[in-house]
Structure formats: C-alpha cells, structure tokens
C-alpha cells in the first residue's frame, strides 16, 4: 500500500513538469510495477487455490486483496488509464493493455471481464467515445432501474438466471428496508461507510447502495458535484474511469477506492497538459 501510494505521489508531483518525455517515463515505470505486483497476486492465488470449488471460484481467494474481485477493480482502473493514455498519444504501449486484460481474465470476475470488453468498445476511438459513453450510461441506468422495479415491486427473481446476479438486487431491496427503519438523520447523512454489512449482514457491493445508504443524501450529492466538476474539467475524459466503475459497480464497489481518485487526478492533469 505504501509503495503504491508513493508511486501515485511521484506521478502527481512530477506532473508539474509539463515535459511529456518525463511523464512517459513515469508511466513506463508504473506499468512495470503494476505487472510485477499483479503477477505476484495471481501466483499467490494459484498457489493457495482450492480445487474443491468449481473452476470459477477455485482461485478467488487473494492474499493481497479481500478477494480477486477487488483485484479486478484495480486492474480495470489501470486498464482504462492506459487506454486513455494510448488514445491521447501520451503513452502508446498496446502490450500493457493486453497484459492488464489477461490479468483481468484470470481474476475470474465476470463483471470486470464484461466491463473491460464493453469499455474498450466504447472508448477505443477517442473521437467518438463521448456519444457512445453517454448513450451506454443512459441505457445502463434504464435497464438497472427496470430490473430493480421488477425485483422489488413485482417480486420477480433472477435466481434461475444467476444466483450472484440475483443477490445484487436483493441488496437493493435490503437497502430500501434500511431506509424505512433508519432515522431521518441517517437518511440525510448516511449510516456510515462499511456499516451496511453490520445492519443487514451482507456487504453493500452495489455502488448506488454504498453512496446513497452509507453516505446519505448529503454524501451522494457531494460526490455527484465532484463527478460533474471532473467531467467539465476534463471535457468528459473522466468518463474513461467513471463509466466502467458505474457499470462494474453493480457487482462490486468499495468506497475505499483511492486508485479511482488518483487516476481521475491524472486524467485531469493530462487534459490540462494538452490544453
């Protein structure tokens, strides 16, 4: 954690030097560190794997993260960062994109794998990604809200389709129950980060539940203002990291995700550097 945070600090600190050669050197060093770090993470998961489980869950236990699903979120974030850098012609290394995608595959996180493929389709052409990204976000939200209504109001179940998928909507239903029981103060200011599991017995997982329930209306609005500011500041370049996190966030999201904000900072500064 300290080494990773130090690298982030080096990247952000040296951005005050507008020399693109210097920034390319930093991205090169960072990419090598990422490859070594996640290679170790993968080898540890394989070594400590449990073959009594199905192939999908045999190598999920991670010694460096809570499980491989959390590792996949970090990998997905870096995948999108290097796709952004490639498209902006700042650091054009297609091999790091391939390696990161392979690492994502070996996390066996279906949400991260699907999101990385969808995100690449949306963002591979930097000139046309904005319309595709906005359309994809609207389609995603309409679909998500529709499925929530089907599950919560019409009592439909998706257990026959996939148990893990069904659990995400069970969490939404549990979140509604929390709102019904909690005081108006907790609705406004939230129940506190990480407390959803203590109240319901299940981790929040869902990005919407995490913000709306755990940080409340105030926290959610504050975060939305921040998101809108970064979108304006970067001319929607911040969607490179924000859209995948929202899509993948239906399956898993941790409020303690410094890599997201660090990468957002890099995108903001790269946008400024190009201007």
């Amino acid at each position: 954690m300290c080494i990773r945070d130090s690298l982030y600090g080096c990247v952000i600190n040296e951005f005050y030097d507008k020399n693109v050669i210097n920034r390319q050197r930093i991205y090169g060093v960072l990419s090598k560190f990422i490859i070594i770090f996640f290679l170790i993470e993968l080898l540890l998961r394989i070594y400590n794997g449990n073959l009594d489980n199905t192939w999908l869950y045999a190598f999920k236990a991670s010694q460096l993260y809570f499980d491989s699903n959390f590792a996949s979120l970090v990998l997905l974030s870096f995948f999108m960062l290097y796709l952004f850098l490639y498209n902006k012609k700042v650091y054009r290394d297609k091999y790091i994109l391939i390696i990161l995608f392979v690492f994502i595959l070996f996390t066996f996180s279906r949400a991260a794998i699907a999101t990385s493929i969808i995100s690449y389709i949306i963002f591979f052409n930097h000139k046309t990604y904005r319309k595709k990204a906005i359309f994809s976000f609207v389609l995603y939200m309409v679909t998500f809200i529709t499925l929530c209504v089907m599950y919560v109001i019409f009592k439909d179940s998706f257990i026959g389709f996939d148990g893990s998928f069904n659990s995400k909507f069970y969490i939404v239903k549990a979140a509604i129950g929390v709102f019904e029981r909690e005081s108006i103060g907790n609705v406004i200011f939230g129940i506190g980060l990480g407390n959803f599991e203590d109240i319901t017995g299940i981790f929040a997982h869902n990005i919407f539940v995490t913000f709306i329930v755990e940080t409340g209306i105030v926290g959610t609005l504050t975060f939305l203002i921040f998101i809108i500011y970064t979108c304006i500041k970067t001319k929607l370049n911040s969607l490179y990291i924000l859209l995948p996190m929202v899509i993948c966030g239906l399956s898993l999201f941790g409020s303690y995700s410094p890599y997201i904000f660090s990468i957002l900072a890099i995108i903001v500064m790269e946008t400024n550097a190009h201007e």
Side-chain angles (χ1 to χ4, degrees):
M1 179 71 73
C2 292
I3 296 175
R4 184 193 67 195
D5 291 343
S6 297
L7 277 173
Y8 285 156
C10 290
V11 171
I12 293 173
N13 181 63
E14 294 201 33
F15 253 91
Y16 290 104
D17 179 358
K18 298 295 185 179
N19 190 331
V20 69
I21 302 299
N22 189 46
R23 302 204 304 276
Q24 289 172 346
R25 178 181 60 81
I26 297 169
Y27 293 134
V29 172
L30 183 60
S31 66
K32 292 179 178 63
F33 173 80
I34 293 168
I35 292 171
I36 294 171
F37 181 87
F38 281 100
L39 179 60
I40 294 172
E41 193 276 336
L42 174 59
L43 292 175
L44 286 174
R45 277 195 289 113
I46 293 174
Y47 179 77
N48 294 285
N50 184 1
L51 296 178
D52 292 333
N53 294 327
T54 61
W55 68 269
L56 193 60
Y57 296 97
F59 304 105
K60 279 285 190 179
S62 175
Q63 279 64 53
L64 302 181
Y65 292 91
F66 183 78
D67 59 30
S68 66
N69 290 330
F70 282 97
S72 72
L73 284 181
V74 183
L75 284 164
L76 177 61
S77 300
F78 282 120
F79 176 80
M80 295 309 299
L81 170 63
Y82 279 95
L83 180 59
F84 167 75
L85 295 174
Y86 186 90
N87 286 341
K88 294 291 285 183
K89 300 180 181 180
V90 176
Y91 185 78
R92 295 179 67 82
D93 184 355
K94 62 182 178 182
Y95 296 107
I96 183 63
L97 292 172
I98 296 172
I99 293 170
L100 287 174
F101 180 69
V102 171
F103 278 138
I104 292 172
L105 289 177
F106 280 108
T107 63
F108 302 105
S109 170
R110 291 169 291 179
I113 294 170
T115 302
S116 60
I117 295 172
I118 292 171
S119 298
Y120 183 80
I121 293 172
I122 293 172
F123 291 97
F124 81 96
N125 188 336
H126 187 71
K127 295 181 180 179
T128 62
Y129 82 88
R130 290 177 176 84
K131 290 182 179 179
K132 290 187 292 184
I134 293 172
F135 173 79
S136 299
F137 175 75
V138 172
L139 179 62
Y140 169 82
M141 291 303 301
V142 170
T143 303
F144 173 68
I145 293 171
T146 301
L147 293 174
C148 286
V149 170
M150 291 171 59
Y151 187 91
V152 176
I153 298 179
F154 296 106
K155 313 297 181 183
D156 287 347
S157 175
F158 309 114
I159 192 72
F161 172 72
D162 183 80
S164 178
F165 182 76
N166 186 76
S167 68
K168 306 307 181 288
F169 296 94
Y170 170 79
I171 292 171
V172 173
K173 186 175 181 179
I176 294 174
V178 171
F179 264 137
E180 292 173 345
R181 296 190 302 270
E182 292 296 321
S183 65
I184 186 66
N186 283 349
V187 172
I188 295 174
F189 297 103
I191 61 175
L193 292 175
N195 288 337
F196 186 82
E197 185 175 13
D198 295 333
I199 295 174
T200 64
I202 186 171
F203 183 71
H205 281 281
N206 189 304
I207 185 173
F208 304 109
V209 172
T210 297
F211 279 109
I212 296 173
V213 179
E214 294 190 345
T215 71
I217 296 173
V218 172
T220 303
L221 289 177
T222 302
F223 184 71
L224 286 176
I225 292 171
F226 169 74
I227 293 303
I228 293 171
Y229 171 78
T230 59
C231 286
I232 295 173
K233 190 72 174 176
T234 64
K235 299 180 180 179
L236 297 183
N237 285 334
S238 59
L239 291 178
Y240 269 87
I241 183 69
L242 294 175
L243 183 61
M245 286 302 105
V246 170
I247 295 175
C248 199
L250 174 60
S251 176
L252 180 66
F253 181 80
S255 54
Y256 40 87
S257 304
Y259 47 89
I260 296 176
F261 299 101
S262 298
I263 291 173
L264 267 176
I266 293 173
I267 292 175
V268 169
M269 288 183 285
E270 274 296 348
T271 302
N272 290 339
H274 275 75
E275 292 180 353

